[in-house]
Amino acid sequence: GDTAPQMDEIELLEDQGLGNLMDLKLHFFWHSEPDITVECKLGSVALPKLKLGFTMYLGLQGESEEPPFFNAAMLYMGNGFMHARDVLNTKQEKEDPYIGMTFGDAWTGFSTSFVEDAVVGALNGVIVPKLVLPSRMLLHVGHGMVAHDLMMPKPHGCLQITVKGVN
């Protein structure tokens, strides 16, 4: 397509309680008319509209005297992808990741929501285990940092819940 993906302003966040030196919030979105054709045994159909948006967080951990001036960089997300129809035009549009597709006239009278469901499920099956907290993707690990401790941080406390009864 002709429309390039875009990024909003980078936001420097207050302490998120994750032990990072600095956390940056990056919101990407791509609302386009891509040149994508979906093919299967039954035939093919063009995908005339695609809406994709997600917020990534970049956490920098540990100060260093030498460039790049931090010891580790991690990417993470707050939650998995949802349907664009549920997120767009709400206050969560710049918070929650979403994906939406429109197949146009090719499947007139036929619901394509199952295709969106399959894409959202497949995308979340790959993204959520790797990038959604508490999981993180390490981009850089400097001296003195243990990668396992960054990817699977130890809990800072314990929450005990006692169920007293059920109605």
Side-chain angles (χ1 to χ4, degrees), residues 50 54 59 63 69-70 81 103 121 125 127 141-142 148 156 164:
L50 176 68
F54 59 94
E63 293 184 58
F69 304 110
F70 55 88
F81 282 86
F103 288 94
I127 300 286
V141 178
H148 184 271
H156 294 283
K164 299 268 183 174

Side-chain angles (χ1 to χ4, degrees), residues 19-22 59-66 68-74 140 142-143 145 150:
N20 292 336
L21 171 70
M22 179 186 310
L60 306 177
Q61 182 138 49
E63 293 184 58
S64 174
E65 296 292 323
E66 299 175 9
F69 304 110
F70 55 88
N71 290 323
M74 299 164 288
H140 166 78
H143 301 291
M145 301 298 284
L150 296 172

Side-chain angles (χ1 to χ4, degrees), residues 20-57:
N20 292 336
L21 171 70
M22 179 186 310
D23 285 290
L24 302 173
K25 179 179 177 181
L26 314 155
H27 180 73
F28 299 91
F29 60 97
W30 186 36
H31 295 191
S32 70
E33 296 177 5
D35 185 17
I36 296 175
T37 302
V38 178
E39 296 184 17
C40 66
K41 291 180 181 179
L42 299 174
S44 63
V45 65
L47 179 63
K49 293 190 187 285
L50 176 68
K51 294 180 179 179
L52 175 69
F54 59 94
T55 299
M56 276 292 199
Y57 297 90

Side-chain angles (χ1 to χ4, degrees), residues 2 5 19-20 35 41 45 72 87 89 95 102 105 125 141 161:
D2 296 332
N20 292 336
D35 185 17
K41 291 180 181 179
V45 65
V87 177
N89 302 318
E95 300 296 328
T102 304
D105 298 334
V141 178
I161 300 174

Side-chain angles (χ1 to χ4, degrees), residues 108-165:
T108 302
F110 185 71
S111 173
T112 58
S113 62
F114 75 94
V115 176
E116 271 190 270
D117 293 343
V119 170
V120 168
L123 195 56
N124 282 334
V126 173
I127 300 286
V128 170
K130 303 280 187 220
L131 283 173
V132 176
L133 287 176
S135 299
R136 301 157 192 181
M137 179 185 292
L138 289 175
L139 301 175
H140 166 78
V141 178
H143 301 291
M145 301 298 284
V146 179
H148 184 271
D149 291 343
L150 296 172
M151 290 182 65
M152 303 280 200
K154 295 176 184 169
H156 294 283
C158 179
L159 174 64
Q160 181 177 353
I161 300 174
T162 304
V163 177
K164 299 268 183 174

